[in-house]
Amino acid sequence: MTPEYWTQATQELAACDQVMLQLIQQFEGATLTSRGCAFTTLARSIVGQQISVKAAESVWQKVIRAIPDIEPCTVAAKEPDLLRACGLSARKITYLQDLSRYFMEGNLNETSWNSMDDETIITQLSQVKGIGRWTAEMFLIFHLQRPDVLPLDDIGLQRAISLHYFDKQSIDKKTMIELAQPWQPWRSVATWYLWRSLDPLPVEY
């Protein structure tokens, strides 16, 4: 499912930023999509922590071959050795098990997310082991399709901004925030295009 705001967002970003204009033209027709499953998005985000998009996709494909029906109960029921054979660290296995438990026990208020602001959702999700701000921000962008998330800790976003705007020079968060001001209220969309510029595989969670 593509966000209903995508066309408006791309038009306004292209009008205010030359780099955005070039990227939007380069990847014409490509859009962010939601998988429609909160658990899958969070599980994929955990798998993708601190590794490349390509590596994350490889591990995830092994996981879904081992567990074709990805649900909290099926993940919780699997032996850690099976998940370890997919390329997951002991820590990430613990995180996936804790995430499964939260969903099985109904401790995440899915029905309330649409009425909650971004920071409140980040706080709630961060109660789960292994879910910090970055993982929660991926959830906001990919599952809830919130339009104005700027994941400052994302290495890919940092690299892309450095590449396209600062001639590959190192940058800090203050610089990123200032650069992204004209992108509001579409910073999620700008982030997606910057990710897309780095990797032939579109980023998906």
Side-chain angles (χ1 to χ4, degrees):
M1 184 175 66
T2 299
E4 60 182 23
Y5 55 74
W6 197 261
T7 298
Q8 180 185 355
T10 55
Q11 290 172 347
E12 293 182 9
L13 287 169
C16 76
D17 186 301
Q18 188 64 30
V19 171
M20 284 293 126
L21 172 61
Q22 293 171 353
L23 293 179
I24 289 164
Q25 290 175 338
Q26 182 179 349
F27 299 105
E28 185 177 3
T31 66
L32 180 154
T33 57
S34 170
R35 296 178 180 276
C37 174
F39 178 76
T40 298
T41 296
L42 289 168
R44 283 185 71 110
S45 297
I46 288 171
V47 169
Q49 289 173 358
Q50 298 180 322
I51 59 177
S52 70
V53 173
K54 184 177 180 180
E57 181 63 21
S58 175
V59 173
W60 183 254
Q61 289 303 318
K62 292 175 184 175
V63 170
I64 60 176
R65 282 196 293 270
I67 315 173
D69 185 18
I70 296 284
E71 293 181 4
C73 58
T74 57
V75 172
K78 293 300 177 184
E79 291 294 326
D81 285 347
L82 178 73
L83 295 171
R84 196 171 293 115
C86 297
L88 288 168
S89 65
R91 181 174 295 177
K92 286 185 179 180
I93 292 168
T94 299
Y95 294 165
L96 288 174
Q97 290 172 335
D98 196 55
L99 176 68
S100 299
R101 181 176 61 80
Y102 262 81
F103 272 88
M104 290 166 67
E105 294 176 358
N107 291 328
L108 293 175
N109 299 321
E110 293 183 67
T111 56
S112 303
W113 283 332
N114 286 337
S115 62
M116 294 163 65
D117 64 35
D118 292 355
E119 290 300 324
T120 304
I121 294 171
I122 289 171
T123 299
Q124 184 188 104
L125 292 176
S126 296
Q127 296 171 14
V128 182
K129 285 181 183 176
I131 295 184
R133 186 172 188 90
W134 178 86
T135 305
E137 287 171 337
M138 296 306 102
F139 183 77
L140 289 172
I141 293 171
F142 287 94
H143 182 69
L144 296 180
Q145 298 190 330
R146 295 292 173 93
D148 197 35
V149 179
L150 184 69
L152 295 171
D153 293 318
D154 187 82
I155 295 171
L157 179 60
Q158 294 168 6
R159 283 178 51 214
I161 288 177
S162 172
L163 173 66
H164 292 293
Y165 294 92
F166 295 98
D167 195 28
K168 301 183 180 179
Q169 299 299 308
S170 61
I171 55 171
D172 57 23
K173 291 181 181 180
K174 181 174 181 289
T175 301
M176 294 171 69
I177 292 169
E178 291 173 352
L179 175 74
Q181 282 182 350
W183 301 343
Q184 296 181 79
W186 312 119
R187 290 180 297 181
S188 299
V189 181
T191 296
W192 186 89
Y193 277 103
L194 287 164
W195 281 331
R196 194 71 180 85
S197 74
L198 293 179
D199 204 299
L201 284 174
V203 178
E204 293 182 351
Y205 288 107

